Amino acid sequence: MIDWDTIDTVLLDMDGTLLDLHFDSHFWLEHLPRRYVELHKLDEATQEVVRARIIREQGTLNWYSLAYWSRELDVDIVALKREVQHLIGLRGDALDFLGWLKSAHPRVVLATNADRESLALKLPLTGLDDYLDAIVSSADIGEPKEEQAFWHALNEIEPFDRQRTLFIDDNAAVLESAREYGIRHLLGIRQPDSRRPEKALKDFIALDRFADIMPSASQTREAPRG
């Protein structure tokens, strides 16, 4: 699928692409609503109100901001995340892929909607930053990846040739935004959350595993020549 000779830059999402989205799904939809009810001594039915409140912010900077939710819900979001941080984990062969990219030498940039508090929690637990040339958060830019302004700002911070860039993300709206900006090589993730069903990405090729786009994988599938 990928001619690596034509790729100078690889932009990678974090949650749901390099990391299993299960941690985030569990935290935002189960753990946080439950702990909010416990901490504020509210009725169990309030959990659904909290879920709906969170989902209303989907696709905005607020959706991704731990400081925003700490303020809005009057809880310490980082402390609550630490209660279930054992669920933070890499997807399948993510480290193999990152290791191969490091040896192949394209520039590798983490382009994430996760804010700096999320990164401070997850990077030490996963070691992702050992494989990255740069990390850019939408919180740094002031626009989420769903907006064109993010891509314009990213290209100023970490310049890349749109025709020679690969971007991988599990979010269809983000991939569409990247395509509108003109990034040529786009791939999705078929199952970002290992505990939930596969996602339909009708307009994008979706990966089951990173090995599918690594040269060694494609070479082993080739028929013998003679």
Side-chain angles (χ1 to χ4, degrees):
M1 284 188 285
I2 299 295
D3 177 359
W4 287 101
D5 290 334
T6 69
I7 302 297
D8 295 329
T9 303
V10 178
L11 304 176
L12 295 171
D13 173 52
M14 183 173 70
D15 300 314
T17 298
L18 295 175
L19 302 186
D20 191 335
L21 197 60
H22 173 61
F23 167 78
D24 295 278
S25 301
H26 175 77
F27 177 78
W28 293 105
L29 300 179
E30 298 178 44
H31 189 71
L32 175 57
R34 182 173 63 251
R35 294 290 285 124
Y36 175 84
V37 164
E38 292 171 355
L39 290 168
H40 292 292
K41 298 178 171 46
L42 300 171
D43 187 272
E44 287 293 316
T46 307
Q47 290 190 43
E48 192 54 46
V49 176
V50 175
R51 290 188 193 97
R53 187 174 179 181
I54 292 168
I55 291 170
R56 277 199 301 272
E57 297 292 342
Q58 190 167 7
T60 70
L61 274 184
N62 288 342
W63 167 266
Y64 303 105
S65 171
L66 303 195
Y68 172 83
W69 291 114
S70 291
R71 184 172 63 252
E72 288 295 303
L73 300 178
D74 192 23
V75 295
D76 186 338
I77 294 290
V78 174
L80 293 182
K81 281 200 164 196
R82 291 195 182 280
E83 292 178 353
V84 289
Q85 70 179 23
H86 60 280
L87 296 177
I88 297 171
L90 291 146
R91 288 188 66 254
D93 56 354
L95 279 189
D96 291 338
F97 180 52
L98 288 169
W100 177 80
L101 287 174
K102 194 167 187 176
S103 66
H105 303 301
R107 185 159 182 80
V108 179
V109 177
L110 189 72
T112 179
N113 274 327
D115 67 7
R116 287 292 168 176
E117 287 185 295
S118 289
L119 289 165
L121 174 66
K122 293 176 177 178
L123 294 180
L125 295 173
T126 60
L128 287 179
D129 45 343
D130 292 339
Y131 299 88
L132 304 169
D133 294 301
I135 298 171
V136 180
S137 165
S138 60
D140 303 335
I141 289 172
E143 297 283 352
K145 291 188 292 183
E146 288 85 343
E147 301 296 332
Q148 287 298 290
F150 173 88
W151 301 103
H152 288 282
L154 176 64
N155 209 345
E156 291 182 8
I157 297 168
E158 290 293 331
F160 59 88
D161 181 340
R162 301 177 217 196
Q163 293 298 303
R164 296 182 63 85
T165 295
L166 166 65
F167 174 52
I168 308 178
D169 199 294
D170 67 299
N171 186 320
V174 170
L175 288 167
E176 184 56 48
S177 181
R179 180 162 64 184
E180 182 181 345
Y181 182 66
I183 295 176
R184 181 177 181 182
H185 304 281
L186 300 167
L187 291 172
I189 298 294
R190 195 177 305 280
Q191 190 176 22
D193 183 331
S194 63
R195 310 287 182 89
R196 291 172 178 256
E198 295 180 354
K199 289 172 61 175
L201 289 174
K202 294 184 294 184
D203 297 327
F204 301 95
I205 294 172
L207 297 175
D208 287 310
R209 55 189 190 133
F210 292 111
D212 293 337
I213 57 170
M214 291 165 61
S216 57
S218 60
Q219 288 166 4
T220 57
R221 285 197 297 268
E222 289 183 357
R225 298 179 182 180

